[in-house]
Amino acid sequence: MTQTANAQWQRPGPRSAELFERAARVTPGGVNSPVRAFSGVGGTPAFIDHASGAYIYDVDGNEYVDYVGSFGPMILGHAHPAVVEAVQQQASKGLSFGAPTGLETELAELVCSMVDSIESVRMVNSGTEAAMTALRLARGHTGRKKVIKFAGNYHGHVDALLVNAGSGALTLGIPGSPGVPEAVVQDTLVATYNDLDSVAEAFKAHGDDVACVMVEPVAGNMNCVPPEDGFLQGLRDLCDEYGALLVFDEVMTGFRVHPGCAQAHFGVTPDVTALGKIVGGGMPVGAVGGPSKVMETLAPTGPVYQAGTLSGHPLGMAAGIATLSRLKDGSVHEAIAPKLDSLLQGLQQCADKHGVPFLTQRVGAMFGMFFTDASRVSRFDDVAACDTDKFAVFFHTMLDHGVYLAPSAFEAGFISQAHDDTAIQRTLEAADAAFAAVAQA
Ligand SMILES: *Cc1c(COP(=O)(O)O)cnc(C)c1O
């Protein structure tokens, strides 16, 4: 769909187009993360001026109900006053010290108190770093090399995990990546999400050398695909049988599907958890956590080296503390659930009315929309079979009507506590036009 004529759509406007042109001269593709480039839907991206609550505003003055939420972190809504104030207050005390602060401990204590499997946390600067560190930790702790991952799962742009990855890699149709030498991925085994047999086979062939299984407990980088009953527990059992570690990449699901993360929602305990997105409340923060006996394999207590000049950054810690402390008692998630119910029911009714084959899936405060006549989407192949052309028409019509969705059929949707009835009503009115456009396309 990269050839979609921009002129077909009203939005974004001329200022965004001008900024995009300028950006493309000094930045590859005009963006600092590929999925922002609208490659999956055609056209050019909206450049954002500011955001507040459920809404973002582009540089042409267009207002959108936002279901991207910075790709996950903004569960409290944009520019939440308490989060902004925490960051402002901290900024006035100095930006970074290269020495420990009490803030790092405060956020670590919050994470440990909310996530049952975590006794000890190492802060890093992104989800990619968290996944990279989790993998090195698992390898160092077990003395084994191989990792089992899943096609369509995304763990950031870590070399060894950039094999059959989801998110932008999927949108752009990049199965691996040039620049990743074969030697770096020769210990990466790729299994099928929601297919335990494929994991058992990998273990049967390489069991003694598997350091870990790394999985998104809800696959959120190939749209939104929940684990089938027994899948996560089956992974736990296989890891125990073969002495491998189970690593949950909860960069997206962490604190979004449940205050105790996906592991609490599904009742399956991983050995190591990678966190990102919400843990930093909108600032660049990632974290790796697990039992102390595993975490102490990291330097300086153990031999596995990991470090970061800006890790545990005071502004990120301040935003993370302000965010997690508001999620801890579960009331935010409770408040969001009925809103997401009415949004998804409304969308389905609207699709049915216009005769468009459509399906939604959700876990906690994340959801997926599929242009398919399947009654359930649970495997990567089901996701790949969905109609991306229909999605592109839907996406652009929604944008024209003031609703901002992720610009790819392979990204999950995110709602916040700030999405009130008015925002949802506006979304459904836009959807009426968008499903009509899809039906005519
Ligand atoms: C977003 C994401 C990452 C990467 O995090 P970055 O902060 O973009 O590096 C890793 N794993 C999962 C599951 C993600 O959703």
Side-chain angles (χ1 to χ4, degrees):
M1 286 302 295
T2 44
Q3 298 311 314
T4 305
N6 220 20
Q8 220 178 313
W9 314 105
Q10 310 294 318
R11 292 181 180 181
R15 281 167 190 250
S16 277
E18 194 187 306
L19 282 179
F20 186 55
E21 224 179 275
R22 251 176 74 195
R25 271 183 243 130
V26 290
T27 298
V31 292
N32 284 303
S33 195
V35 85
R36 296 179 197 166
F38 278 33
S39 312
V41 291
T44 58
F47 276 59
I48 305 307
D49 181 68
H50 66 285
S52 174
Y55 298 91
I56 57 169
Y57 301 83
D58 70 18
V59 290
D60 287 287
N62 297 309
E63 176 184 80
Y64 306 94
V65 184
D66 178 34
Y67 291 98
V68 179
S70 190
F71 284 97
M74 312 314 303
I75 191 165
L76 297 179
H78 287 286
H80 187 282
V83 179
V84 172
E85 198 196 319
V87 171
Q88 283 172 338
Q89 282 197 356
Q90 189 53 44
S92 68
K93 293 174 159 185
L95 293 184
S96 178
F97 315 115
T101 63
L103 294 167
E104 292 152 85
T105 306
E106 206 180 315
L107 184 56
E109 285 171 349
L110 257 174
V111 170
C112 293
S113 72
M114 292 171 75
V115 189
D116 284 347
S117 70
I118 299 184
E119 294 171 350
S120 176
V121 194
R122 171 61 53 85
M123 299 294 172
V124 295
N125 303 292
S126 68
T128 295
E129 260 191 81
M132 179 183 78
T133 302
L135 176 58
R136 187 180 306 145
L137 175 62
R139 285 171 160 170
H141 188 76
T142 58
R144 297 170 171 192
K145 287 199 299 278
K146 295 201 185 297
V147 49
I148 300 175
K149 76 168 292 274
F150 297 91
N153 276 198
Y154 177 66
H155 306 293
H157 59 103
V158 180
D159 278 354
L161 299 172
L162 208 50
V163 182
N164 293 85
S167 188
L170 190 54
T171 305
L172 300 175
I174 302 173
S177 171
V180 177
E182 264 168 51
V184 176
V185 295
Q186 72 185 8
D187 293 312
T188 306
L189 308 168
V190 181
T192 305
Y193 190 78
N194 274 334
D195 178 2
L196 270 180
D197 290 344
S198 71
V199 186
E201 258 169 55
F203 268 114
K204 219 170 269 167
H206 303 280
D208 293 344
D209 202 22
V210 175
C212 66
V213 170
M214 180 158 320
V215 66
E216 289 183 61
V218 178
N221 287 285
M222 50 182 210
N223 208 320
C224 178
V225 180
E228 283 176 8
D229 286 348
F231 177 64
L232 297 175
Q233 185 58 49
L235 297 181
R236 177 71 275 173
D237 295 343
L238 281 166
C239 285
D240 290 344
E241 187 184 336
Y242 287 93
L245 298 187
L246 179 59
V247 180
F248 275 7
D249 180 348
E250 297 230 37
V251 171
M252 183 182 290
T253 54
F255 312 110
R256 177 157 286 278
V257 305
H258 188 285
C261 303
Q263 50 201 270
H265 183 90
F266 294 106
V268 177
T269 306
D271 298 293
V272 175
T273 302
L275 296 168
K277 299 190 171 119
I278 288 177
V279 79
M283 297 292 279
V285 177
V288 187
S292 301
K293 69 172 193 318
V294 176
M295 293 302 293
E296 280 166 9
T297 312
L298 288 177
T301 36
V304 174
Y305 195 68
Q306 189 281 330
T309 301
L310 296 174
S311 290
H313 194 275
L315 301 193
M317 297 301 102
I321 293 162
T323 300
L324 290 199
S325 59
R326 280 166 180 77
L327 298 177
K328 191 174 171 179
D329 71 4
S331 57
V332 170
H333 289 83
E334 270 166 39
I336 287 174
K339 300 179 197 202
L340 188 50
D341 282 343
S342 62
L343 173 68
L344 298 185
Q345 280 165 17
L347 287 173
Q348 189 66 57
Q349 281 165 9
C350 203
D352 294 348
K353 172 182 145 190
H354 291 285
V356 175
F358 181 77
L359 172 75
T360 65
Q361 297 187 157
R362 57 98 58 103
V363 183
M366 61 189 273
F367 64 97
M369 296 178 286
F370 303 87
F371 288 88
T372 177
D373 41 28
S375 61
R376 182 180 184 189
V377 171
S378 76
R379 300 277 174 101
F380 176 74
D381 288 346
D382 305 333
V383 178
C386 291
D387 193 325
T388 53
D389 290 347
K390 285 198 173 103
F391 176 79
V393 171
F394 185 76
F395 169 86
H396 277 290
T397 315
M398 291 296 269
L399 197 69
D400 271 0
H401 287 78
V403 177
Y404 189 76
L405 304 172
S408 163
F410 301 114
E411 300 292 336
F414 303 106
I415 192 169
S416 81
Q417 68 169 7
H419 286 71
D420 58 7
D421 290 345
T422 309
I424 288 169
Q425 207 42 51
R426 280 174 61 171
T427 308
L428 295 178
E429 281 160 24
D432 197 42
F435 281 116
V438 170
Q440 279 159 24

